[in-house]
């Protein structure tokens, strides 16, 4: 290893923190701050662990979409509680930490969303991008309210 930063990485501190009950985990998102929350997206929905370093308790969020393939958290999640989910049937957004969800309209109905990313300046610019199976990249600068297709 030529990179001294990589040479100091140690995986001996990994620990099992349990797993959401059924299914394979296809997406993870971890909040930052004094207390972290870990979200896990699966085919059967979204699960939340409020203390991932201390607890193995997972709570299923019953109103979340199914078949989650991607998750994206607002960099300001501690204040705005915004979470995006990409699924096999479209995009979804929650402004209350995953308790309730909206499905904004997208250029193609029911796109398969494979990945999501929010701008580091999301609080001021409202930029969210989503990678789709069918149409390249979707772009929003309205906090996910309005989307346009951007081909690659």
């Amino acid at each position: 290893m030529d990179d001294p930063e990589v040479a100091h990485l140690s995986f001996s501190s990994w620990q099992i923190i349990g797993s959401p009950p059924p299914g394979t985990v296809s997406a993870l998102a971890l909040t930052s701050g004094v207390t972290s929350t870990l979200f896990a997206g699966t085919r059967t929905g979204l699960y939340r662990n409020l203390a991932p370093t201390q607890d193995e308790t997972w709570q299923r969020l019953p109103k979340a979409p199914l078949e989650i393939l991607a998750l994206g958290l607002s960099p300001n999640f501690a204040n705005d509680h915004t979470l995006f989910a990409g699924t096999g049937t479209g995009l979804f957004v929650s402004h209350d930490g995953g308790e309730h969800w909206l499905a904004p309209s997208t250029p193609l109905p029911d796109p398969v969303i494979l990945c999501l990313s929010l701008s580091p300046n999301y609080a001021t610019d409202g930029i969210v991008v989503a990678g789709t199976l069918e149409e390249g990249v979707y772009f929003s600068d309205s906090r996910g309210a309005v989307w346009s297709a951007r081909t690659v």
Side-chain angles (χ1 to χ4, degrees):
M1 296 189 162
D2 296 332
D3 187 346
E5 295 294 320
V6 175
H8 289 73
L9 290 177
S10 170
F11 294 102
S12 62
S13 62
W14 285 86
Q15 62 181 341
I16 296 173
I17 61 167
S19 174
T24 301
V25 174
S26 54
L28 292 170
L30 181 64
T31 66
S32 62
V34 176
T35 58
S36 295
T37 299
L38 178 61
F39 292 94
T42 74
R43 291 187 63 208
T44 60
L46 184 66
Y47 295 83
R48 176 175 61 197
N49 185 317
L50 296 173
T53 60
Q54 306 160 0
D55 189 359
E56 295 183 14
T57 304
W58 289 89
Q59 173 192 17
R60 185 173 186 279
L61 300 173
K63 295 183 181 178
L66 301 177
E67 200 179 332
I68 294 174
L69 302 172
L71 291 170
L73 287 174
S74 163
N76 195 27
F77 183 85
N79 295 318
D80 66 20
H81 310 289
T82 300
L83 172 66
F84 288 85
T87 75
T89 58
L91 269 164
F92 297 85
V93 62
S94 171
H95 297 291
D96 60 5
E99 296 295 331
H100 299 91
W101 294 84
L102 303 169
S105 95
T106 53
L108 181 69
D110 303 330
V112 176
I113 305 299
L114 300 173
C115 53
L116 287 161
S117 186
L118 282 75
S119 164
N121 298 317
Y122 174 81
T124 55
D125 63 24
I127 294 175
V128 186
V129 291
T132 73
L133 181 65
E134 304 90 346
E135 278 197 308
V137 175
Y138 283 175
F139 175 86
S140 173
D141 60 3
S142 60
R143 291 177 175 68
V146 178
W147 294 84
S148 61
R150 304 275 173 101
T151 57
V152 286

